[in-house]
Amino acid sequence: LLERALEQPNDDQARRGAIKFLQSRHADAAEMAKAYGLTLGEWDQLDAKEMQSTNTEAAKADRTAFTQMLADRFFDVTTRIVREELPGLLILGTRFPGDAPEAVIRACGRDCDVVSVNMYAFGSKPDVGQFAKFWLLGGRPLMHTEFSWRASENNSGCPNTRGAGAVLKTQAQRAERYSAFVSDMASLPVVIGSHWFEFADQSPQGRFDGEDSNYGIVDIDNKPYRELLSAMRDTHARVASIHRETTRSMPKSLDAITAVTY
């Protein structure tokens, strides 16, 4: 994010803000250049590509602090305005794509009601350690906001050349994977829901970004994948009781995540 800001023209607000931030952390341009191992005469000579070429401790510390500053500002402003304009709504976060810097997760948890995470799985069980990380840092209930499996055998002719997650062979395997995975997710006491991606298959010719996958509960002609729908119906009838009766516990610290087998 720091380098992205410095890529902008000299009169751009983001670039000016990034330079102001660096000035607050270094006595002068010469002192920063020494800490970064750069050849820098004046602040306005800062170059994003040259910044990207260095990974000194000072550079890493500045990047982390800049990200934290932006995250704090982003979540503070957005949630405050939503609460002012639309009081009483549940603010669900930003749907993190699998991971995020610790400072960003903390900022989200500080200001939002829920921390939302998109996370695809190749097996039949979720990455409990990764969900635990979001819970420990965010301190909020978690919503699992995107997951899916595709199958080579599908009614739409989707080739599955683009898209996230595993490609299974059959629709029966999609159904089995869904039932096992969602049941296991329901047993995590800090997770309040999982959202499947998506209702209908993508075009076999590809959508706007080229994704051409069998993510659907129905095919491109709106015909249901009955094995998957049946698994969803049966699983959904059990998830509330699984969640209510679970005896699973979550780790109490980040260090404990890798020390426990879930």
Side-chain angles (χ1 to χ4, degrees), residues 11-149:
D11 60 350
D12 185 89
Q13 184 177 357
R15 179 178 171 86
R16 294 199 308 269
I19 292 175
K20 184 178 179 180
F21 166 82
L22 291 169
Q23 288 171 333
S24 73
R25 293 175 61 85
H26 300 275
D28 52 38
E31 188 269 343
M32 179 189 156
K34 182 178 179 181
Y36 274 55
L38 302 176
T39 56
L40 174 65
E42 300 294 338
W43 289 110
D44 60 7
Q45 295 175 351
L46 274 172
D47 178 76
K49 289 185 178 179
E50 192 174 16
M51 288 277 289
Q52 291 168 353
S53 70
T54 182
N55 202 33
T56 66
E57 291 303 314
K60 289 188 286 187
D62 284 350
R63 291 174 185 134
T64 298
F66 188 72
T67 298
Q68 179 175 342
M69 180 185 73
L70 294 184
D72 288 343
R73 178 69 171 160
F74 172 82
F75 285 107
D76 174 68
V77 170
T78 55
T79 57
R80 175 168 46 81
I81 291 173
V82 170
R83 294 192 197 284
E84 289 172 357
E85 298 295 328
L86 299 167
L89 293 184
L90 205 63
I91 298 181
L92 303 179
T94 56
R95 299 177 74 231
F96 290 117
D99 203 358
E102 290 189 9
V104 180
I105 300 172
R106 291 184 192 277
C108 178
R110 182 196 63 223
D111 289 317
C112 299
D113 301 305
V114 175
V115 174
S116 298
V117 186
N118 298 350
M119 201 177 299
Y120 285 75
F122 285 85
S124 59
K125 291 184 178 295
D127 184 345
V128 178
Q130 190 70 349
F131 281 105
K133 172 185 172 181
F134 278 94
W135 175 65
L136 288 166
L137 292 172
R140 297 287 188 177
L142 305 180
M143 186 174 287
H144 181 208
T145 41
E146 187 173 317
F147 73 105
S148 194
W149 292 276

Side-chain angles (χ1 to χ4, degrees), residues 147 149 174-182 196 228 232 236:
F147 73 105
W149 292 276
R174 288 179 86 204
E176 292 168 2
R177 192 69 56 90
Y178 183 92
S179 180
F181 183 89
V182 172
W196 172 265
L228 178 59
M232 288 179 166
H236 296 171

Side-chain angles (χ1 to χ4, degrees), residues 149-161 167-172 174 200-205 212-221 223-225 227-228:
W149 292 276
R150 304 164 281 171
S152 299
E153 298 174 2
N154 63 81
N155 299 336
S156 300
C158 292
N160 301 311
T161 58
V167 179
L168 308 177
K169 183 178 181 180
T170 67
Q171 293 300 315
R174 288 179 86 204
D201 277 345
Q202 296 172 332
S203 166
Q205 286 76 43
D212 51 12
S213 285
N214 162 230
Y215 286 128
I217 300 170
V218 300
D219 63 22
I220 57 175
D221 295 314
K223 295 178 181 177
Y225 291 104
E227 290 167 304
L228 178 59

